[in-house]
């Protein structure tokens, strides 16, 4: 296993520059499809490392791909760098303290995610160069994971059509191979159009779009009892029809986020929600139209790759956190509830340790505890390419993703160590796939067998395009 030891040393060679990259991304949080500073930073890093560049992948200005190598297998390492709204937080401060600016923050650790993935790709590039091995490593800088489904658009455009395997990760409380479980989802905007009128003088002449939207919510609430186990419905008013209660609201838009465990289930559930919307329009004598905003598929696992990644975790061991890291993490852990901590252990299937504040173990491979699942556009990549994901310990145990505590820990020493630790796992797994033809063959055979049973159908209609925007400083 000398190869692993060498690739880990190559990761260490680049730690300072990629730690700084992560911090720069943290310093300038950008929301989905607006990651112009982040993609510029990642593009500059790719150029400085000698990668061949493909800009604006799938026509998305904030997506980039860098490739190194010739011939042989193609290994993709996926990074992200988008932030979240409303999660601004000062670094290292253990009480809510927003920073001035947009109000956005890296409450899911994507500043770490992208930098670590690019660090891993750089180490693999260095190894290929040093040993003259046939093969290609690619770093995909992927925007808009948080609700924007950029990877789904990239898959639909064929950006992964010649990739042999894909590797990614996500910040977490624990380190280990990620269970290939996520919910397929679809965001649909339903717009009800009625007729405005004076709400007191002539209410009988109005047809309320707001009534229609509220009746839709009532119908959806009754549907919840009769959905598949694990399915979810969420909604938000995009336009509630105005702030004047004496005007019958003539136009209302409500966004539904529909989740289910598989793509076929998602399509069926979305059709049921559509029928509820149509019924609400019928009851209120309004009209309803819809616009799909985004959609992602559930994750498809790959046992050979998951086993290979777990072997690397076992060899490397847990992240090398020290007492200084634990002291900082303990201050954040003190802001968490016992339920937060217990949920983290349950989600990873790890026995509860009331004294631990940072991960000091490797979770069982693909552990599936009793925690609920979210969604990710990595799911669509996994339908077209054998894919494996890691979880990397970067925060105090129990830190909830999409929280101010996660943002506040984004530049800590323990976040940086977890980022580097996971880069070593991804780089070693990539090298394993590049040099072991049998692993590639087994990974592809399992993936092909799954696709033969349920072929991939992109959940995004061809008519839906990514909501890209030009650079904010463009004339």
């Amino acid at each position: 296993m000398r190869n692993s030891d060498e690739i880990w040393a190559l990761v260490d060679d680049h730690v300072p520059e990629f730690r700084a990259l992560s911090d720069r991304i943290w310093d300038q949080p950008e929301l989905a499809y607006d990651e112009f500073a982040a993609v510029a930073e990642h593009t500059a890093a790719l150029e400085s490392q000698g990668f061949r560049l493909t800009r604006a992948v799938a026509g998305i200005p904030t997506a980039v791909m860098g490739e190194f190598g010739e011939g042989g297998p193609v290994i993709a390492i996926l990074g992200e760098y988008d932030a979240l709204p409303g999660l601004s937080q000062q670094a290292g401060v253990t009480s809510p303290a927003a920073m001035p600016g947009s109000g956005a923050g890296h409450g899911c650790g994507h500043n770490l995610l992208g930098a670590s993935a690019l660090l891993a790709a750089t180490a693999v590039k260095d190894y290929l160069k040093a040993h003259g091995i046939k093969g290609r490593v690619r770093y995909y800088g992927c925007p808009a994971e948080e609700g924007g489904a950029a990877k789904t658009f990239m898959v639909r455009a064929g950006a992964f059509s010649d990739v042999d395997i894909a590797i990614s990760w996500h910040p977490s409380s624990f380190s280990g191979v990620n269970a290939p479980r996520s919910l397929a989802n679809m965001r649909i905007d339903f717009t009800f159009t009625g007729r405005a009128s004076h709400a007191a003088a002539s209410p009988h002449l109005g047809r309320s779009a707001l009534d229609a939207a509220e009746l839709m919510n009532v119908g959806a609430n009754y549907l919840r009892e009769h959905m598949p186990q694990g399915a979810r419905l969420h909604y938000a008013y995009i336009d509630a029809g105005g702030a004047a209660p004496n005007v019958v609201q003539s136009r209302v838009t409500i966004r539904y986020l529909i989740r289910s465990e598989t793509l076929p289930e998602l399509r069926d559930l979305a059709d049921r929600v559509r029928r509820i919307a149509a019924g609400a329009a019928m009851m209120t004598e309004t009209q309803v139209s819809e616009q799909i905003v985004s959609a992602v598929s559930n994750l498809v696992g790959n046992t050979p790759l998951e086993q290979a990644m777990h072997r690397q975790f076992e060899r490397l061991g847990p992240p090398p956190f020290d007492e200084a890291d634990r002291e900082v993490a303990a201050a954040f852990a003190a802001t968490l509830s016992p339920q937060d901590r217990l949920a983290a252990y349950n989600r990873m299937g790890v026995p509860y340790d009331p004294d631990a504040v940072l991960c000091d173990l490797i979770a069982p491979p693909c552990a599936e505890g009793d925690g609920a699942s979210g969604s990710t556009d990595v799911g669509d990549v996994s339908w077209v390419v054998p894919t494996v994901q890691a979880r990397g310990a970067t925060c105090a145990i129990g830190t909830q993703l999409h929280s101010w505590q996660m943002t506040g820990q984004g530049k800590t020493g323990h976040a940086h160590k977890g980022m580097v630790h996971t880069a070593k796992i991804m780089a070693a797994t990539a090298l394993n796939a590049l040099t072991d033809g049998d692993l590639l063959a087994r990974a592809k055979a399992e993936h092909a067998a799954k696709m033969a049973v349920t072929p991939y159908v992109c959940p995004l209609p061809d008519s839906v395009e990514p909501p890209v925007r030009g650079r904010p400083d463009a004339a």
Side-chain angles (χ1 to χ4, degrees):
M1 301 297 286
R2 181 185 63 82
N3 290 353
S4 292
D5 297 331
E6 183 176 348
I7 197 74
W8 294 339
L10 292 171
V11 169
D12 285 332
D13 288 345
H14 295 282
V15 166
E17 61 205 272
F18 286 96
R19 184 172 56 211
L21 172 64
S22 174
D23 287 354
R24 290 196 300 274
I25 302 301
W26 189 97
D27 288 338
Q28 43 193 349
E30 300 164 300
L31 303 181
Y33 294 110
D34 280 337
E35 313 93 334
F36 290 100
V39 75
E41 291 278 6
H42 282 248
T43 300
L46 286 165
E47 286 182 309
S48 70
Q49 292 298 330
F51 286 87
R52 300 184 295 272
L53 289 179
T54 300
R55 302 173 192 267
V57 178
I60 301 172
T62 54
V64 66
M65 189 269 283
E67 180 184 73
F68 183 89
E70 302 291 343
V74 177
I75 311 299
I77 303 180
L78 313 180
E80 298 163 13
Y81 31 67
D82 57 326
L84 286 155
L87 290 176
S88 174
Q89 173 65 23
Q90 294 180 35
V93 177
T94 57
S95 61
M99 299 177 67
S102 68
H106 278 284
C108 210
H110 289 184
N111 60 303
L112 301 161
L113 199 167
S116 178
L118 185 45
L119 172 56
T122 298
V124 175
K125 177 264 298 181
D126 289 350
Y127 191 96
L128 292 175
K129 187 175 182 180
H131 294 272
I133 295 173
K134 288 289 185 182
R136 285 169 283 169
V137 61
R138 289 181 184 169
Y139 170 74
Y140 284 83
C142 305
E145 189 275 338
E146 298 291 358
K151 293 187 196 69
T152 311
F153 288 109
M154 293 164 73
V155 166
R156 195 183 69 182
F160 300 94
S161 60
D162 61 345
V163 171
D164 289 283
I165 72 163
I167 301 170
S168 191
W169 78 291
H170 202 283
S172 175
S173 290
F174 290 99
S175 291
V177 180
N178 186 55
R181 183 183 67 181
S182 71
L183 297 176
N185 81 41
M186 183 178 293
R187 285 172 166 81
I188 306 177
D189 284 356
F190 293 95
T191 297
F192 293 93
T193 304
R195 184 190 308 151
S197 69
H198 194 295
S202 55
H204 59 290
L205 299 179
R207 298 294 182 266
S208 175
L210 183 59
D211 286 353
E214 292 191 299
L215 283 168
M216 180 183 179
N217 290 337
V218 171
N221 283 335
Y222 281 104
L223 174 62
R224 286 182 171 91
E225 181 184 355
H226 306 287
M227 299 190 308
Q229 185 70 24
R232 298 282 189 273
L233 291 181
H234 324 280
Y235 67 91
Y237 281 94
I238 304 302
D239 178 0
N246 60 331
V247 177
V248 174
Q249 293 89 348
S250 63
R251 182 180 175 87
V252 168
T253 298
I254 188 168
R255 177 170 296 175
Y256 261 77
L257 170 52
I258 306 162
R259 303 188 201 247
S260 200
E261 291 186 337
T262 68
L263 270 177
E265 278 187 3
L266 175 66
R267 286 190 286 268
D268 290 344
L269 186 57
D271 284 341
R272 296 175 74 183
V273 173
R274 289 182 173 105
R275 287 192 287 272
I276 289 172
M282 183 183 296
M283 286 188 285
T284 54
E285 297 182 64
T286 59
Q287 303 297 316
V288 64
S289 61
E290 72 164 72
Q291 175 65 48
I292 294 175
V293 178
S294 67
V296 303
S297 304
N298 56 295
L299 282 166
V300 176
N302 192 276
T303 304
L305 293 180
E306 290 152 4
Q307 291 173 340
M309 178 175 277
H310 182 65
R311 286 193 292 271
Q312 300 300 336
F313 269 115
E314 287 185 317
R315 291 197 66 245
L316 186 58
F321 299 129
D322 58 25
E323 288 309 309
D325 298 322
R326 292 184 179 88
E327 182 177 350
V328 173
F332 279 96
T335 71
L336 307 173
S337 71
Q339 292 78 16
D340 289 331
R341 288 176 51 79
L342 185 59
Y345 281 96
N346 288 343
R347 187 172 295 111
M348 292 300 293
V350 175
Y352 182 67
D353 181 351
D355 299 320
V357 294
L358 285 172
C359 173
D360 59 2
L361 51 78
I362 297 301
C366 299
E368 293 194 41
D370 60 5
S373 296
S375 303
T376 173
D377 56 8
V378 177
D380 288 272
V381 179
S382 73
W383 279 80
V384 298
V385 178
T387 301
V388 63
Q389 279 191 288
R391 287 278 168 178
T394 63
C395 57
I397 296 172
T399 302
Q400 298 301 303
L401 300 180
H402 299 194
S403 70
W404 68 263
Q405 290 99 330
M406 190 69 180
T407 307
Q409 293 174 79
K411 297 174 75 174
T412 59
H414 58 268
H416 292 146
K417 287 179 181 175
M419 177 191 89
V420 173
H421 179 266
T422 315
K424 291 181 177 181
I425 295 298
M426 292 188 290
T429 305
L431 182 59
N432 192 178
L434 279 166
T435 57
D436 184 348
D438 181 62
L439 172 59
L440 272 180
R442 288 185 289 113
K444 289 184 172 184
E446 179 178 294
H447 187 268
K450 290 181 177 181
M451 293 303 103
V453 174
T454 309
Y456 176 64
V457 177
C458 182
L460 282 171
D462 290 342
S463 59
V464 178
E465 295 297 330
V468 298
R469 291 173 283 274
R471 291 187 64 92
D473 56 353

